[in-house]
Amino acid sequence: MARVVGGIGTSHIPAIGLAMARKQVADPYWKPFFDAYLPVRDWLSEVRPTVAVVIYNDHGLNFFLDKMPAFAIGAAPDYRNADEGWGLPTLRPFPGDAAFSWHLIEQLSAADFDLTTCQEMLVDHGFVVPMQLLWPQADSWPVRVIPIHVNTVQHPLPSPARCLRFGETLGRALESWDQDERVIVLGTGGLSHQLDGRRAGFINKPFDLYCLEKIVHEPEVLARHTIRELVTLAGTQGPELIQWLIMRGALGPDVRQLQRNYHVPISNTGSGLLLLEKAA
Amino acid sequence: MNTQVSPQVPWGTTIFDGRAARRGYALNKMCFSFNHAVNRAEFLRDEDAYCQKYGLNDAQRAAVRSRDVLAMIESGGNIYYLAKLAGIFGLGVQDVGAQQTGLTVDEFRAKLLAAGV
């Protein structure tokens, strides 16, 4: 049977991908940020996951505002990255696992989570930057992937409470798959940032640290917030926290924190990193 | 920490909801087209003709012409799509942040750094 072995919360800021492309990871500005990923990579090489479920939001590569699903899941044999318009190099394709995707679609649907299913899906920086951060040296991706997109672009967005429940349901669906897989779940984006408006540049370090603390053992405390409150507390892009809540929900109640880091600012963002191992 | 906040939208903030999405559809659709290099090149050859092709209204065309990000947001632009327009001119989110806050890019960066203290 498939087992969820752990979850990782990570930023997905394009500037990270650009810094890697420009070989700036050892620069003083970037080094503390990238160094925090070293223990995560060690853990990955020890645990050797076979499948990564990546929770992210598309920023206008695969989805436009003509059709904007609240939740969408990839069910493709592979996923291509593509030009987003501002110069991030395009990465090689990611192998999928369509049979596993369809199992999740059926299980989630049976539990009243109806997803938009995508047999073709371009994946943008929200997906590829975390993958690159976790496996920077890989000649070929060591995991098959299942992308799950969450709408954080056009309000109304799915509520934090619903996302936590979605994650819990996803975790059960993953562990009901009859193949022998080791699964990790990535919750990407966040933490506080605001790109738009006169309030641009808003970062709330105390709230970010509070989120990193609470999500480990009391995610339901964070899930009580409304999206509107998250905008006030964490900026217009701060609601990306819901993607971390899905990741956290998928791990079940008992987790061990193996790594936590907070770095501010990365680009315009308070950047969080969390590695949680699911308790056996 | 106290996480009780007012339900009001904070100052200097626009919620990109259905009203904004309807108002900004043409502008955002044009910016979405900039995922393709051939469209970026066509825009650069004749900006206003390209805006017209996508049916931007006068306010949106003026905002694009003057590179005024706050005016683009006011006319329904969404920052993720506007970032693709900014990218054509080699501008990143810190340049865009500086413009919206009336700061120089260095001042805007200093403000971000101060958030970490």
Side-chain angles (χ1 to χ4, degrees):
Chain A
M1 297 294 281
R3 250 180 346 110
V4 175
V5 292
I8 298 166
T10 173
S11 277
H12 64 212
I13 309 162
I16 299 166
L18 289 170
M20 295 179 86
R22 294 170 184 159
K23 310 221 180 302
Q24 295 167 334
V25 300
D27 289 4
Y29 177 85
W30 286 105
K31 193 173 184 320
F33 170 81
F34 282 107
D35 280 357
Y37 284 79
L38 298 175
V40 180
R41 291 175 196 151
D42 289 345
W43 180 81
L44 287 169
S45 44
E46 195 181 306
V47 172
R48 289 176 298 109
T50 55
V51 173
V53 179
V54 184
I55 321 293
Y56 74 108
N57 56 298
D58 181 87
H59 307 73
L61 180 67
N62 189 71
F63 294 112
F64 177 58
L65 304 172
D66 57 339
K67 305 171 195 75
M68 180 50 68
F71 299 107
I73 183 168
D78 53 50
Y79 302 92
R80 281 190 310 109
N81 181 213
D83 186 355
E84 293 185 59
W86 28 253
L88 197 61
T90 301
L91 295 191
R92 60 192 176 281
F94 300 81
D97 186 334
F100 200 176
S101 288
W102 281 105
H103 169 77
L104 298 180
I105 292 161
E106 285 171 13
Q107 296 294 310
L108 286 160
S109 176
D112 296 334
F113 284 102
D114 307 305
L115 287 84
T116 299
T117 55
C118 305
Q119 292 204 67
E120 289 185 55
M121 192 177 193
L122 294 174
V123 286
D124 77 356
H125 68 268
F127 177 100
V128 309
V129 166
M131 292 294 291
Q132 211 180 352
L133 270 168
L134 299 185
W135 291 285
Q137 307 294 344
D139 293 328
S140 61
W141 300 109
V143 288
R144 283 160 282 128
V145 299
I146 300 177
I148 297 182
H149 151 89
V150 183
N151 169 29
T152 62
V153 173
Q154 178 181 271
H155 292 246
L157 315 181
S159 74
R162 181 163 162 77
C163 287
L164 184 60
R165 284 200 304 277
F166 177 92
E168 290 162 358
T169 309
L170 173 66
R172 287 191 290 273
L174 287 166
E175 297 209 320
S176 69
W177 178 233
D178 63 4
Q179 303 293 307
D180 190 19
E181 306 284 4
R182 292 181 301 280
V183 180
I184 57 167
V185 183
L186 310 186
T188 77
L191 296 168
S192 63
H193 58 309
Q194 175 151 343
L195 302 177
D196 46 329
R198 290 192 169 82
R199 194 181 181 231
F202 175 79
I203 290 176
N204 187 345
K205 180 177 174 179
F207 183 67
D208 288 344
L209 294 174
Y210 170 84
C211 288
L212 286 169
E213 172 74 31
K214 289 291 175 193
I215 200 167
V216 180
H217 296 300
E218 298 174 87
E220 63 284 354
V221 171
L222 301 180
R224 276 184 218 126
H225 282 295
T226 64
I227 290 289
R228 197 56 73 78
E229 288 167 356
L230 291 181
V231 168
T232 299
L233 288 162
T236 41
Q237 282 75 41
E240 290 176 355
L241 180 69
I242 59 182
Q243 289 148 195
W244 288 52
L245 284 170
I246 293 176
M247 174 276 288
R248 179 61 192 87
L251 304 183
D254 299 321
V255 295
R256 269 190 307 276
Q257 178 191 296
L258 300 183
Q259 168 71 329
R260 182 198 297 187
N261 189 55
Y262 181 69
H263 193 87
V264 57
I266 289 298
S267 184
N268 294 19
T269 304
S271 157
L273 170 65
L274 196 60
L275 168 60
L276 300 175
E277 186 170 59
K278 180 168 174 165
Chain B
M1 71 174 285
N2 178 17
T3 60
Q4 300 253 315
V5 288
S6 147
Q8 300 297 314
V9 177
W11 70 274
T13 299
T14 304
I15 300 290
F16 188 77
D17 58 8
R19 283 171 60 188
R22 284 163 63 195
R23 192 164 63 234
Y25 194 75
L27 171 60
N28 291 318
K29 188 168 177 176
M30 179 181 85
C31 293
F32 178 61
S33 79
F34 297 145
N35 282 333
H36 298 282
V38 60
N39 295 334
R40 300 196 288 271
E42 186 183 333
F43 172 80
L44 284 173
R45 275 197 300 277
D46 187 342
E47 293 187 16
D48 212 46
Y50 200 82
C51 289
Q52 203 165 6
K53 177 172 156 181
Y54 276 85
L56 272 62
N57 63 32
D58 290 346
Q60 291 166 338
R61 282 163 70 175
V64 171
R65 205 176 301 124
S66 58
R67 318 284 190 246
D68 183 341
V69 176
L70 288 174
M72 291 180 209
I73 292 171
E74 180 65 37
S75 63
N78 174 281
I79 195 67
Y80 293 132
Y81 297 99
L82 300 181
K84 298 173 193 294
L85 172 62
I88 293 179
F89 306 108
L91 302 175
V93 289
Q94 296 187 344
D95 302 296
V96 170
Q99 191 203 85
Q100 294 177 98
T101 51
L103 301 173
T104 65
V105 175
D106 281 342
E107 287 166 348
F108 187 71
R109 288 202 178 116
K111 171 182 142 106
L112 294 167
L113 282 169
V117 178

Tab-separated table of all heavy atoms in Angstrom, chain A residues 81-108:
chain	number	residue	atom	x	y	z
A	81	ASN	N	6.650	22.330	-18.291
A	81	ASN	CA	6.818	23.706	-17.858
A	81	ASN	C	6.869	24.546	-19.151
A	81	ASN	O	7.116	24.007	-20.215
A	81	ASN	CB	8.148	23.777	-17.076
A	81	ASN	CG	8.464	25.161	-16.521
A	81	ASN	OD1	9.622	25.530	-16.431
A	81	ASN	ND2	7.460	25.918	-16.131
A	82	ALA	N	6.582	25.837	-19.067
A	82	ALA	CA	6.615	26.672	-20.283
A	82	ALA	C	6.916	28.120	-19.910
A	82	ALA	O	6.885	28.500	-18.738
A	82	ALA	CB	5.294	26.565	-21.031
A	83	ASP	N	7.181	28.910	-20.924
A	83	ASP	CA	7.494	30.340	-20.806
A	83	ASP	C	6.354	31.070	-20.091
A	83	ASP	O	5.203	30.984	-20.510
A	83	ASP	CB	7.660	30.874	-22.238
A	83	ASP	CG	8.141	32.315	-22.300
A	83	ASP	OD1	8.267	32.959	-21.242
A	83	ASP	OD2	8.385	32.783	-23.429
A	84	GLU	N	6.688	31.790	-19.011
A	84	GLU	CA	5.669	32.574	-18.304
A	84	GLU	C	5.755	34.052	-18.660
A	84	GLU	O	5.020	34.866	-18.114
A	84	GLU	CB	5.816	32.397	-16.789
A	84	GLU	CG	5.501	30.993	-16.329
A	84	GLU	CD	5.530	30.879	-14.820
A	84	GLU	OE1	4.770	31.596	-14.146
A	84	GLU	OE2	6.345	30.075	-14.305
A	85	GLY	N	6.731	34.400	-19.493
A	85	GLY	CA	6.768	35.770	-20.005
A	85	GLY	C	7.845	36.652	-19.421
A	85	GLY	O	8.110	37.725	-19.949
A	86	TRP	N	8.472	36.231	-18.298
A	86	TRP	CA	9.454	37.143	-17.717
A	86	TRP	C	10.806	36.498	-17.434
A	86	TRP	O	11.533	36.928	-16.548
A	86	TRP	CB	8.916	37.855	-16.473
A	86	TRP	CG	7.873	37.091	-15.706
A	86	TRP	CD1	6.538	37.355	-15.657
A	86	TRP	CD2	8.080	35.938	-14.879
A	86	TRP	NE1	5.910	36.430	-14.873
A	86	TRP	CE2	6.832	35.566	-14.376
A	86	TRP	CE3	9.215	35.191	-14.530
A	86	TRP	CZ2	6.666	34.464	-13.539
A	86	TRP	CZ3	9.055	34.090	-13.706
A	86	TRP	CH2	7.790	33.749	-13.224
A	87	GLY	N	11.134	35.455	-18.202
A	87	GLY	CA	12.539	35.070	-18.255
A	87	GLY	C	13.003	33.919	-17.379
A	87	GLY	O	14.202	33.653	-17.327
A	88	LEU	N	12.106	33.236	-16.695
A	88	LEU	CA	12.526	32.059	-15.927
A	88	LEU	C	12.808	30.927	-16.920
A	88	LEU	O	11.956	30.623	-17.754
A	88	LEU	CB	11.402	31.666	-14.964
A	88	LEU	CG	11.744	30.725	-13.802
A	88	LEU	CD1	12.782	31.340	-12.881
A	88	LEU	CD2	10.484	30.411	-12.995
A	89	PRO	N	14.010	30.306	-16.832
A	89	PRO	CA	14.293	29.230	-17.787
A	89	PRO	C	13.284	28.085	-17.642
A	89	PRO	O	12.848	27.777	-16.540
A	89	PRO	CB	15.695	28.750	-17.380
A	89	PRO	CG	16.263	29.809	-16.510
A	89	PRO	CD	15.107	30.536	-15.886
A	90	THR	N	12.944	27.479	-18.757
A	90	THR	CA	11.972	26.385	-18.758
A	90	THR	C	12.671	25.086	-18.366
A	90	THR	O	13.723	24.760	-18.893
A	90	THR	CB	11.347	26.266	-20.164
A	90	THR	OG1	10.720	27.508	-20.462
A	90	THR	CG2	10.325	25.157	-20.210
A	91	LEU	N	12.082	24.372	-17.427
A	91	LEU	CA	12.686	23.121	-16.954
A	91	LEU	C	12.170	21.926	-17.744
A	91	LEU	O	11.116	21.984	-18.369
A	91	LEU	CB	12.380	22.911	-15.466
A	91	LEU	CG	12.966	23.921	-14.484
A	91	LEU	CD1	12.812	23.419	-13.057
A	91	LEU	CD2	14.434	24.219	-14.777
A	92	ARG	N	12.920	20.832	-17.649
A	92	ARG	CA	12.532	19.598	-18.352
A	92	ARG	C	11.205	19.064	-17.797
A	92	ARG	O	10.843	19.360	-16.654
A	92	ARG	CB	13.641	18.555	-18.191
A	92	ARG	CG	13.914	18.196	-16.739
A	92	ARG	CD	15.198	17.391	-16.585
A	92	ARG	NE	15.477	17.141	-15.182
A	92	ARG	CZ	16.013	18.026	-14.353
A	92	ARG	NH1	16.336	19.237	-14.786
A	92	ARG	NH2	16.229	17.718	-13.090
A	93	PRO	N	10.496	18.250	-18.594
A	93	PRO	CA	9.177	17.754	-18.164
A	93	PRO	C	9.258	16.853	-16.925
A	93	PRO	O	10.307	16.288	-16.616
A	93	PRO	CB	8.682	16.945	-19.365
A	93	PRO	CG	9.498	17.401	-20.516
A	93	PRO	CD	10.823	17.820	-19.958
A	94	PHE	N	8.135	16.758	-16.251
A	94	PHE	CA	8.021	15.960	-15.028
A	94	PHE	C	7.170	14.722	-15.314
A	94	PHE	O	6.067	14.863	-15.868
A	94	PHE	CB	7.340	16.782	-13.930
A	94	PHE	CG	8.075	18.026	-13.568
A	94	PHE	CD1	7.962	19.181	-14.344
A	94	PHE	CD2	8.917	18.060	-12.461
A	94	PHE	CE1	8.662	20.341	-14.021
A	94	PHE	CE2	9.614	19.217	-12.131
A	94	PHE	CZ	9.486	20.356	-12.914
A	95	PRO	N	7.638	13.528	-14.945
A	95	PRO	CA	6.825	12.336	-15.183
A	95	PRO	C	5.621	12.290	-14.232
A	95	PRO	O	5.753	12.598	-13.040
A	95	PRO	CB	7.787	11.178	-14.887
A	95	PRO	CG	8.799	11.751	-13.937
A	95	PRO	CD	8.926	13.217	-14.289
A	96	GLY	N	4.456	11.928	-14.752
A	96	GLY	CA	3.258	11.821	-13.926
A	96	GLY	C	2.955	10.378	-13.560
A	96	GLY	O	3.754	9.470	-13.808
A	97	ASP	N	1.807	10.172	-12.935
A	97	ASP	CA	1.317	8.831	-12.624
A	97	ASP	C	-0.204	8.898	-12.746
A	97	ASP	O	-0.919	9.107	-11.750
A	97	ASP	CB	1.750	8.432	-11.204
A	97	ASP	CG	1.386	6.976	-10.884
A	97	ASP	OD1	0.423	6.450	-11.487
A	97	ASP	OD2	2.063	6.383	-10.021
A	98	ALA	N	-0.674	8.778	-13.995
A	98	ALA	CA	-2.089	9.027	-14.269
A	98	ALA	C	-3.003	8.059	-13.523
A	98	ALA	O	-4.088	8.444	-13.063
A	98	ALA	CB	-2.352	8.962	-15.771
A	99	ALA	N	-2.564	6.799	-13.364
A	99	ALA	CA	-3.425	5.826	-12.673
A	99	ALA	C	-3.629	6.248	-11.215
A	99	ALA	O	-4.754	6.185	-10.681
A	99	ALA	CB	-2.803	4.431	-12.745
A	100	PHE	N	-2.555	6.685	-10.586
A	100	PHE	CA	-2.654	7.154	-9.188
A	100	PHE	C	-3.518	8.414	-9.126
A	100	PHE	O	-4.372	8.566	-8.241
A	100	PHE	CB	-1.245	7.418	-8.647
A	100	PHE	CG	-1.115	7.454	-7.141
A	100	PHE	CD1	0.150	7.611	-6.555
A	100	PHE	CD2	-2.221	7.326	-6.296
A	100	PHE	CE1	0.298	7.643	-5.171
A	100	PHE	CE2	-2.066	7.364	-4.902
A	100	PHE	CZ	-0.814	7.530	-4.351
A	101	SER	N	-3.346	9.309	-10.087
A	101	SER	CA	-4.172	10.527	-10.131
A	101	SER	C	-5.657	10.171	-10.177
A	101	SER	O	-6.466	10.749	-9.437
A	101	SER	CB	-3.839	11.369	-11.369
A	101	SER	OG	-2.590	11.993	-11.251
A	102	TRP	N	-6.012	9.216	-11.043
A	102	TRP	CA	-7.435	8.865	-11.169
A	102	TRP	C	-7.960	8.204	-9.897
A	102	TRP	O	-9.122	8.383	-9.529
A	102	TRP	CB	-7.676	7.979	-12.396
A	102	TRP	CG	-7.710	8.812	-13.648
A	102	TRP	CD1	-6.737	8.901	-14.597
A	102	TRP	CD2	-8.752	9.733	-14.034
A	102	TRP	NE1	-7.107	9.808	-15.566
A	102	TRP	CE2	-8.341	10.330	-15.253
A	102	TRP	CE3	-9.984	10.100	-13.491
A	102	TRP	CZ2	-9.118	11.277	-15.924
A	102	TRP	CZ3	-10.750	11.047	-14.152
A	102	TRP	CH2	-10.326	11.624	-15.351
A	103	HIS	N	-7.113	7.458	-9.218
A	103	HIS	CA	-7.523	6.911	-7.929
A	103	HIS	C	-7.876	8.054	-6.965
A	103	HIS	O	-8.918	8.018	-6.284
A	103	HIS	CB	-6.406	6.043	-7.344
A	103	HIS	CG	-6.627	5.646	-5.914
A	103	HIS	ND1	-7.518	4.649	-5.546
A	103	HIS	CD2	-6.117	6.152	-4.756
A	103	HIS	CE1	-7.533	4.554	-4.223
A	103	HIS	NE2	-6.690	5.442	-3.724
A	104	LEU	N	-7.028	9.086	-6.938
A	104	LEU	CA	-7.300	10.230	-6.044
A	104	LEU	C	-8.588	10.944	-6.457
A	104	LEU	O	-9.394	11.333	-5.605
A	104	LEU	CB	-6.123	11.214	-6.071
A	104	LEU	CG	-4.777	10.675	-5.589
A	104	LEU	CD1	-3.710	11.766	-5.670
A	104	LEU	CD2	-4.870	10.144	-4.153
A	105	ILE	N	-8.763	11.125	-7.757
A	105	ILE	CA	-9.977	11.798	-8.256
A	105	ILE	C	-11.218	11.042	-7.780
A	105	ILE	O	-12.182	11.639	-7.286
A	105	ILE	CB	-9.934	11.882	-9.800
A	105	ILE	CG1	-8.830	12.846	-10.240
A	105	ILE	CG2	-11.300	12.291	-10.370
A	105	ILE	CD1	-8.389	12.678	-11.689
A	106	GLU	N	-11.189	9.707	-7.910
A	106	GLU	CA	-12.358	8.917	-7.514
A	106	GLU	C	-12.595	8.971	-6.008
A	106	GLU	O	-13.729	9.138	-5.544
A	106	GLU	CB	-12.187	7.469	-7.989
A	106	GLU	CG	-12.407	7.367	-9.488
A	106	GLU	CD	-12.056	6.010	-10.074
A	106	GLU	OE1	-11.866	5.053	-9.291
A	106	GLU	OE2	-11.952	5.930	-11.306
A	107	GLN	N	-11.521	8.859	-5.242
A	107	GLN	CA	-11.659	8.883	-3.775
A	107	GLN	C	-12.128	10.251	-3.286
A	107	GLN	O	-12.983	10.351	-2.408
A	107	GLN	CB	-10.310	8.544	-3.112
A	107	GLN	CG	-9.811	7.144	-3.398
A	107	GLN	CD	-10.706	6.086	-2.790
A	107	GLN	OE1	-11.044	6.155	-1.618
A	107	GLN	NE2	-11.119	5.117	-3.586
A	108	LEU	N	-11.549	11.298	-3.845
A	108	LEU	CA	-11.918	12.652	-3.411
A	108	LEU	C	-13.356	12.966	-3.820
A	108	LEU	O	-14.109	13.575	-3.053
A	108	LEU	CB	-10.945	13.683	-3.984
A	108	LEU	CG	-9.569	13.691	-3.298
A	108	LEU	CD1	-8.511	14.353	-4.188
A	108	LEU	CD2	-9.631	14.404	-1.951
